[in-house]
Amino acid sequence: MEPSVLALIHAAITEDVGTGDVTSLYFIPENSRSRAEIVAREPGIVSGAEIAVTVFKEIDPALEVEVCIPDGSHFVQGSILMKAAGSTRSLLTAERTALNFLQRLCGVATQTQRYVEAVKPHSVQVWDTRKTTPGWRLIEKAAVKHGGGTNHRMGLYDHAMVKDNHLTANSDLPSLQAAIHKLRTERPGTRIQLEADTLDQVAGFLTLEGVDMLLLDNMGPEKLREAVKLVNGKLWLEASGGITIETIKDVAATGVNAISVGALTHSSRALDLGLDLS
Protein backbone atom coordinates (compact mmCIF):
# COMPACT_ATOMS: atom_id res chain seq x y z
CA MET A 1 0.00 0.00 0.00
CA GLU A 2 1.25 3.48 -0.85
CA PRO A 3 2.78 5.16 2.23
CA SER A 4 0.55 8.20 1.74
CA VAL A 5 -2.57 6.01 1.79
CA LEU A 6 -1.39 4.19 4.91
CA ALA A 7 -0.73 7.56 6.55
CA LEU A 8 -4.27 8.64 5.61
CA ILE A 9 -5.68 5.50 7.24
CA HIS A 10 -3.65 6.15 10.39
CA ALA A 11 -4.87 9.75 10.50
CA ALA A 12 -8.50 8.63 10.11
CA ILE A 13 -8.15 6.09 12.92
CA THR A 14 -6.50 8.65 15.19
CA GLU A 15 -9.24 11.15 14.39
CA ASP A 16 -11.98 8.69 15.38
CA VAL A 17 -10.44 6.62 18.17
CA GLY A 18 -8.28 9.24 19.87
CA THR A 19 -7.40 8.05 23.36
CA GLY A 20 -9.71 5.04 23.11
CA ASP A 21 -13.20 3.82 22.22
CA VAL A 22 -14.86 4.51 25.56
CA THR A 23 -18.16 2.97 24.53
CA SER A 24 -16.67 -0.40 23.63
CA LEU A 25 -14.17 -0.36 26.52
CA TYR A 26 -16.89 0.14 29.13
CA PHE A 27 -19.93 -1.55 27.61
CA ILE A 28 -18.47 -4.58 25.78
CA PRO A 29 -16.89 -7.40 27.84
CA GLU A 30 -13.18 -7.82 27.16
CA ASN A 31 -13.52 -11.50 26.22
CA SER A 32 -16.50 -10.99 23.88
CA ARG A 33 -16.05 -12.41 20.37
CA SER A 34 -18.25 -11.73 17.35
CA ARG A 35 -18.62 -12.04 13.60
CA ALA A 36 -19.40 -9.09 11.41
CA GLU A 37 -20.55 -8.64 7.83
CA ILE A 38 -20.47 -5.47 5.75
CA VAL A 39 -23.73 -5.58 3.82
CA ALA A 40 -24.90 -3.49 0.86
CA ARG A 41 -28.18 -1.65 1.39
CA GLU A 42 -28.18 -0.70 -2.32
CA PRO A 43 -26.40 -1.88 -5.52
CA GLY A 44 -23.07 -0.50 -6.73
CA ILE A 45 -19.42 -1.09 -7.62
CA VAL A 46 -16.82 -2.08 -5.02
CA SER A 47 -13.85 0.16 -4.31
CA GLY A 48 -11.78 0.48 -1.16
CA ALA A 49 -12.04 -3.14 -0.02
CA GLU A 50 -8.33 -3.47 0.76
CA ILE A 51 -8.37 -0.12 2.56
CA ALA A 52 -11.20 -1.33 4.78
CA VAL A 53 -9.26 -4.53 5.48
CA THR A 54 -6.25 -2.41 6.49
CA VAL A 55 -8.40 -0.39 8.89
CA PHE A 56 -9.54 -3.56 10.67
CA LYS A 57 -5.99 -4.91 10.82
CA GLU A 58 -4.56 -1.62 12.10
CA ILE A 59 -7.12 -1.63 14.91
CA ASP A 60 -6.39 -5.29 15.76
CA PRO A 61 -3.98 -7.52 13.81
CA ALA A 62 -5.69 -10.58 15.30
CA LEU A 63 -8.96 -9.89 13.48
CA GLU A 64 -9.79 -12.31 10.67
CA VAL A 65 -10.97 -10.32 7.63
CA GLU A 66 -12.22 -11.68 4.31
CA VAL A 67 -13.07 -9.71 1.17
CA CYS A 68 -16.09 -11.38 -0.42
CA ILE A 69 -16.45 -9.09 -3.47
CA PRO A 70 -13.23 -7.52 -4.81
CA ASP A 71 -12.63 -3.99 -6.06
CA GLY A 72 -14.13 -3.28 -9.48
CA SER A 73 -16.93 -5.83 -9.08
CA HIS A 74 -20.66 -5.14 -9.21
CA PHE A 75 -22.86 -5.96 -6.22
CA VAL A 76 -26.59 -5.95 -5.57
CA GLN A 77 -28.63 -4.91 -2.58
CA GLY A 78 -28.08 -7.43 0.20
CA SER A 79 -24.64 -8.52 -1.01
CA ILE A 80 -22.02 -9.26 1.64
CA LEU A 81 -18.93 -7.27 0.66
CA MET A 82 -16.71 -8.30 3.55
CA LYS A 83 -16.62 -10.53 6.63
CA ALA A 84 -14.63 -10.10 9.82
CA ALA A 85 -14.34 -12.03 13.06
CA GLY A 86 -12.61 -11.60 16.41
CA SER A 87 -12.76 -9.25 19.36
CA THR A 88 -16.12 -7.51 19.52
CA ARG A 89 -14.44 -4.39 20.88
CA SER A 90 -12.06 -4.27 17.93
CA LEU A 91 -14.79 -4.84 15.36
CA LEU A 92 -16.91 -2.03 16.76
CA THR A 93 -13.95 0.33 17.06
CA ALA A 94 -13.01 -0.22 13.41
CA GLU A 95 -16.58 -0.12 12.08
CA ARG A 96 -17.07 3.56 11.28
CA THR A 97 -13.63 4.31 9.85
CA ALA A 98 -13.76 1.22 7.62
CA LEU A 99 -17.25 2.13 6.42
CA ASN A 100 -16.34 5.77 5.82
CA PHE A 101 -13.62 4.74 3.38
CA LEU A 102 -15.66 1.97 1.76
CA GLN A 103 -18.91 3.93 1.37
CA ARG A 104 -17.18 6.96 -0.14
CA LEU A 105 -15.03 4.98 -2.58
CA CYS A 106 -17.85 2.67 -3.64
CA GLY A 107 -19.85 5.84 -4.32
CA VAL A 108 -17.14 7.21 -6.63
CA ALA A 109 -16.81 3.88 -8.47
CA THR A 110 -20.57 3.57 -8.86
CA GLN A 111 -20.98 7.16 -10.09
CA THR A 112 -18.18 6.59 -12.61
CA GLN A 113 -19.78 3.41 -13.89
CA ARG A 114 -23.02 5.30 -14.57
CA TYR A 115 -21.17 7.84 -16.72
CA VAL A 116 -19.23 5.11 -18.54
CA GLU A 117 -22.48 3.32 -19.35
CA ALA A 118 -24.07 6.59 -20.48
CA VAL A 119 -21.55 7.19 -23.30
CA LYS A 120 -22.09 3.80 -24.94
CA PRO A 121 -21.87 2.83 -27.78
CA HIS A 122 -19.36 5.64 -28.46
CA SER A 123 -15.70 4.74 -27.91
CA VAL A 124 -14.91 7.77 -25.79
CA GLN A 125 -13.02 7.70 -22.49
CA VAL A 126 -14.52 9.16 -19.31
CA TRP A 127 -11.78 11.04 -17.45
CA ASP A 128 -11.57 12.25 -13.87
CA THR A 129 -10.08 15.60 -12.79
CA ARG A 130 -8.05 17.08 -9.93
CA LYS A 131 -11.30 17.98 -8.14
CA THR A 132 -10.67 15.40 -5.44
CA THR A 133 -10.89 15.36 -1.66
CA PRO A 134 -7.56 16.70 -0.32
CA GLY A 135 -5.41 13.75 0.71
CA TRP A 136 -7.72 11.22 -0.98
CA ARG A 137 -6.56 11.69 -4.60
CA LEU A 138 -4.83 8.32 -5.04
CA ILE A 139 -7.72 6.31 -3.67
CA GLU A 140 -10.47 8.34 -5.34
CA LYS A 141 -8.72 8.03 -8.69
CA ALA A 142 -8.36 4.29 -8.05
CA ALA A 143 -12.12 4.22 -7.46
CA VAL A 144 -12.65 5.93 -10.84
CA LYS A 145 -10.68 3.10 -12.48
CA HIS A 146 -12.71 0.50 -10.57
CA GLY A 147 -15.81 2.11 -12.08
CA GLY A 148 -14.43 1.82 -15.61
CA GLY A 149 -13.21 5.40 -15.95
CA THR A 150 -9.77 6.68 -16.93
CA ASN A 151 -7.38 8.73 -14.82
CA HIS A 152 -6.34 12.12 -16.20
CA ARG A 153 -3.25 13.70 -14.67
CA MET A 154 -2.50 12.84 -11.04
CA GLY A 155 -1.25 16.32 -10.24
CA LEU A 156 0.53 19.39 -11.49
CA TYR A 157 3.78 17.46 -11.90
CA ASP A 158 2.94 14.81 -14.52
CA HIS A 159 0.97 16.62 -17.23
CA ALA A 160 1.16 20.21 -18.48
CA MET A 161 -2.28 21.75 -18.94
CA VAL A 162 -2.21 25.36 -20.13
CA LYS A 163 -5.63 26.63 -19.06
CA ASP A 164 -7.47 29.92 -19.45
CA ASN A 165 -5.74 31.60 -16.51
CA HIS A 166 -2.33 30.60 -17.85
CA LEU A 167 -3.32 31.98 -21.24
CA THR A 168 -4.48 35.23 -19.65
CA ALA A 169 -0.91 35.68 -18.44
CA ASN A 170 0.73 34.42 -21.63
CA SER A 171 -1.33 33.81 -24.79
CA ASP A 172 1.18 34.88 -27.43
CA LEU A 173 1.66 31.95 -29.85
CA PRO A 174 5.44 32.42 -30.28
CA SER A 175 5.85 32.51 -26.49
CA LEU A 176 3.74 29.37 -26.15
CA GLN A 177 5.86 27.63 -28.78
CA ALA A 178 9.06 28.57 -26.96
CA ALA A 179 7.66 27.24 -23.68
CA ILE A 180 6.61 23.99 -25.36
CA HIS A 181 10.10 23.46 -26.80
CA LYS A 182 11.69 24.19 -23.41
CA LEU A 183 9.42 21.73 -21.63
CA ARG A 184 10.02 19.05 -24.28
CA THR A 185 13.77 19.49 -23.82
CA GLU A 186 13.88 19.58 -20.02
CA ARG A 187 11.08 17.12 -19.24
CA PRO A 188 10.76 14.74 -22.19
CA GLY A 189 7.71 12.51 -22.09
CA THR A 190 5.51 15.06 -20.28
CA ARG A 191 2.17 15.41 -22.05
CA ILE A 192 1.23 18.93 -23.10
CA GLN A 193 -2.37 20.10 -23.37
CA LEU A 194 -3.83 23.51 -24.20
CA GLU A 195 -7.31 24.74 -23.30
CA ALA A 196 -9.43 26.28 -26.06
CA ASP A 197 -12.66 28.16 -25.46
CA THR A 198 -13.21 29.12 -29.09
CA LEU A 199 -12.72 27.65 -32.55
CA ASP A 200 -10.28 30.47 -33.34
CA GLN A 201 -8.10 29.30 -30.47
CA VAL A 202 -8.28 25.74 -31.78
CA ALA A 203 -7.09 26.92 -35.20
CA GLY A 204 -4.25 28.89 -33.63
CA PHE A 205 -3.09 26.01 -31.45
CA LEU A 206 -2.95 23.71 -34.48
CA THR A 207 -0.05 25.81 -35.77
CA LEU A 208 2.07 24.89 -32.73
CA GLU A 209 4.47 21.95 -32.64
CA GLY A 210 4.72 19.55 -29.71
CA VAL A 211 1.13 19.74 -28.44
CA ASP A 212 -0.45 16.39 -27.51
CA MET A 213 -4.06 17.35 -26.89
CA LEU A 214 -6.57 20.15 -26.59
CA LEU A 215 -9.13 20.75 -23.87
CA LEU A 216 -12.35 22.03 -25.43
CA ASP A 217 -13.95 23.90 -22.58
CA ASN A 218 -17.65 24.74 -22.31
CA MET A 219 -18.39 24.12 -25.97
CA GLY A 220 -21.81 22.81 -26.92
CA PRO A 221 -22.21 19.75 -29.17
CA GLU A 222 -22.37 21.86 -32.34
CA LYS A 223 -19.06 23.62 -31.66
CA LEU A 224 -17.48 20.37 -30.52
CA ARG A 225 -18.34 18.78 -33.88
CA GLU A 226 -16.77 21.73 -35.66
CA ALA A 227 -13.64 21.44 -33.54
CA VAL A 228 -13.38 17.69 -34.24
CA LYS A 229 -13.66 18.40 -37.97
CA LEU A 230 -11.10 21.22 -37.78
CA VAL A 231 -8.53 19.12 -35.88
CA ASN A 232 -9.14 16.11 -38.16
CA GLY A 233 -7.39 13.61 -35.90
CA LYS A 234 -4.15 15.59 -35.50
CA LEU A 235 -4.56 15.91 -31.72
CA TRP A 236 -6.49 14.20 -28.95
CA LEU A 237 -9.56 16.19 -27.93
CA GLU A 238 -11.00 16.36 -24.45
CA ALA A 239 -14.41 17.94 -23.81
CA SER A 240 -15.02 19.50 -20.42
CA GLY A 241 -17.21 21.96 -18.58
CA GLY A 242 -20.50 21.34 -16.80
CA ILE A 243 -21.11 17.93 -18.37
CA THR A 244 -23.81 15.93 -16.60
CA ILE A 245 -25.18 12.42 -16.81
CA GLU A 246 -28.03 13.85 -18.90
CA THR A 247 -25.80 15.62 -21.44
CA ILE A 248 -22.76 13.34 -21.71
CA LYS A 249 -24.22 11.13 -24.43
CA ASP A 250 -24.67 14.11 -26.78
CA VAL A 251 -21.08 15.14 -26.09
CA ALA A 252 -19.82 11.61 -26.72
CA ALA A 253 -21.55 11.60 -30.12
CA THR A 254 -19.50 14.58 -31.34
CA GLY A 255 -16.35 12.51 -31.91
CA VAL A 256 -14.14 13.80 -29.08
CA ASN A 257 -11.68 11.30 -27.62
CA ALA A 258 -12.34 11.94 -23.96
CA ILE A 259 -14.80 13.66 -21.65
CA SER A 260 -13.67 14.87 -18.23
CA VAL A 261 -16.22 14.98 -15.44
CA GLY A 262 -15.38 16.60 -12.11
CA ALA A 263 -18.57 15.15 -10.62
CA LEU A 264 -17.01 11.68 -10.58
CA THR A 265 -15.12 12.69 -7.46
CA HIS A 266 -16.43 16.00 -6.15
CA SER A 267 -20.13 15.12 -6.21
CA SER A 268 -20.37 11.36 -5.68
CA ARG A 269 -22.76 10.22 -2.97
CA ALA A 270 -21.52 7.73 -0.38
CA LEU A 271 -23.24 4.38 -0.87
CA ASP A 272 -25.44 2.94 1.86
CA LEU A 273 -23.44 0.14 3.45
CA GLY A 274 -23.74 -1.23 6.96
CA LEU A 275 -21.92 -3.50 9.37
CA ASP A 276 -24.10 -6.22 10.91
CA LEU A 277 -22.76 -7.91 14.03
CA SER A 278 -23.62 -11.38 15.28
Side-chain angles (χ1 to χ4, degrees):
M1 183 167 290
E2 288 284 340
S4 62
V5 176
L6 192 57
L8 179 62
I9 292 170
H10 289 161
I13 291 173
T14 299
E15 175 184 65
D16 198 36
V17 179
T19 57
D21 177 2
V22 293
T23 310
S24 296
L25 286 172
Y26 285 89
F27 291 89
I28 301 297
E30 184 177 2
N31 62 353
S32 175
R33 297 290 183 270
S34 298
R35 296 184 181 278
E37 296 176 341
I38 293 183
V39 182
R41 314 298 193 207
E42 60 179 314
I45 304 293
V46 180
S47 185
E50 294 305 321
I51 292 175
V53 169
T54 303
V55 171
F56 282 109
K57 289 293 190 178
E58 289 293 316
I59 292 292
D60 184 351
L63 289 175
E64 298 175 6
V65 188
E66 174 191 358
V67 174
C68 303
I69 304 179
D71 287 340
S73 302
H74 182 267
F75 59 86
V76 298
Q77 182 178 355
S79 295
I80 298 172
L81 274 57
M82 187 177 300
K83 296 180 180 180
S87 163
T88 307
R89 285 183 177 180
S90 297
L91 291 171
L92 293 176
T93 299
E95 174 184 2
R96 178 43 51 200
T97 300
L99 284 175
N100 281 348
F101 279 111
L102 197 58
Q103 289 179 289
R104 167 69 179 157
L105 296 174
C106 285
V108 171
T110 303
Q111 173 96 313
T112 301
Q113 196 262 348
R114 293 190 186 111
Y115 276 85
V116 170
E117 287 296 316
V119 301
K120 291 181 177 179
H122 305 288
S123 58
V124 59
Q125 295 181 359
V126 177
W127 286 359
D128 55 23
T129 70
R130 287 168 48 239
K131 296 174 183 177
T132 53
T133 307
W136 283 58
R137 182 165 297 172
L138 283 178
I139 59 178
E140 287 183 345
K141 281 182 172 281
V144 167
K145 293 183 72 173
H146 293 147
T150 301
N151 293 154
H152 203 338
R153 58 179 178 167
M154 289 301 295
L156 296 172
Y157 54 88
D158 65 339
H159 179 120
M161 183 185 288
V162 186
K163 302 192 72 176
D164 52 357
N165 283 333
H166 299 97
L167 293 170
T168 297
N170 181 14
S171 61
D172 178 67
L173 288 177
S175 296
L176 288 174
Q177 186 65 80
I180 292 168
H181 283 322
K182 183 176 173 61
L183 176 56
R184 285 286 183 214
T185 301
E186 297 182 359
R187 297 200 179 192
T190 302
R191 290 180 299 175
I192 298 175
Q193 182 174 14
L194 306 179
E195 177 182 310
D197 299 322
T198 68
L199 294 175
D200 286 341
Q201 281 184 308
V202 173
F205 293 155
L206 284 173
T207 67
L208 299 174
E209 296 179 356
V211 178
D212 296 299
M213 60 185 74
L214 298 182
L215 168 63
L216 306 176
D217 191 47
N218 286 305
M219 291 188 185
E222 187 65 33
K223 280 192 176 181
L224 287 173
R225 289 190 191 92
E226 291 183 47
V228 169
K229 184 177 180 180
L230 182 62
V231 172
N232 194 29
K234 296 184 182 71
L235 300 173
W236 257 61
L237 295 178
E238 170 197 353
S240 182
I243 295 167
T244 67
I245 195 70
E246 290 80 21
T247 62
I248 194 169
K249 196 174 192 71
D250 290 338
V251 175
T254 64
V256 294
N257 304 102
I259 303 171
S260 58
V261 183
L264 301 185
T265 50
H266 72 57
S267 296
S268 292
R269 176 181 62 83
L271 256 60
D272 189 1
L273 311 174
L275 185 143
D276 295 336
L277 198 72
S278 61

